Amino acid sequence: MSPEPMDKREYQEYGEHGGMEVEEDKVAKRQNEIKRITGLIWLVFGVLETLIGIRVILKLLAANPDNGFASFIYRVSRLFLAPFFGLVGEPSSNGNVLEVTSIIAMLVYLLIAWGITRLLYLLMVPSQVKHVKTMIK
């Protein structure tokens, strides 16, 4: 369940007739947008990490590559692992393979996700400058 969005509003009595002016908190609105975008980024990279993690486990257990599930995982994850193939050797024993390149890829993708979210915060978080109204009598 996602947290309730922050919706801070300032209410001020205004005018002679007791009317009310509502001012929306744009900083809170922007922070909600940033949280949604970063949540989506973490979701996408989390699915990718899970996919690669399942591949590592299947290779360790010497899963049958002709099985539908294993075949699907190998095919889909191969696209994201292509830049890392041949980076280091892969120890194996009796058909069981420890894909070190997949573990390295998981770390790299984790760092990429973290870097994107940090950059997003740096570029989109509004400054903490307060709005000040002055009245001259």
Side-chain angles (χ1 to χ4, degrees), residues 23-83:
E23 187 176 314
E24 193 170 339
D25 188 349
K26 292 180 177 151
V27 172
K29 186 176 179 182
R30 179 65 151 233
Q31 288 173 339
N32 284 336
E33 291 171 357
I34 294 168
K35 286 180 183 179
R36 283 193 178 111
I37 294 169
T38 55
L40 183 63
I41 291 168
W42 282 116
L43 175 67
V44 168
F45 278 92
V47 168
L48 178 60
E49 294 277 332
T50 302
L51 185 71
I52 297 171
I54 292 171
R55 178 188 174 103
V56 169
I57 292 169
L58 290 175
K59 289 283 188 168
L60 264 176
L61 298 175
N64 178 7
D66 295 328
N67 175 277
F69 177 72
S71 176
F72 171 76
I73 296 293
Y74 293 155
R75 269 193 324 244
V76 174
S77 61
R78 184 170 184 78
L79 173 69
F80 298 102
L81 295 174

Side-chain angles (χ1 to χ4, degrees), residues 105-116:
M106 289 175 73
L107 291 172
V108 169
Y109 285 125
L110 176 67
L111 289 173
I112 290 172
W114 179 81
I116 291 171

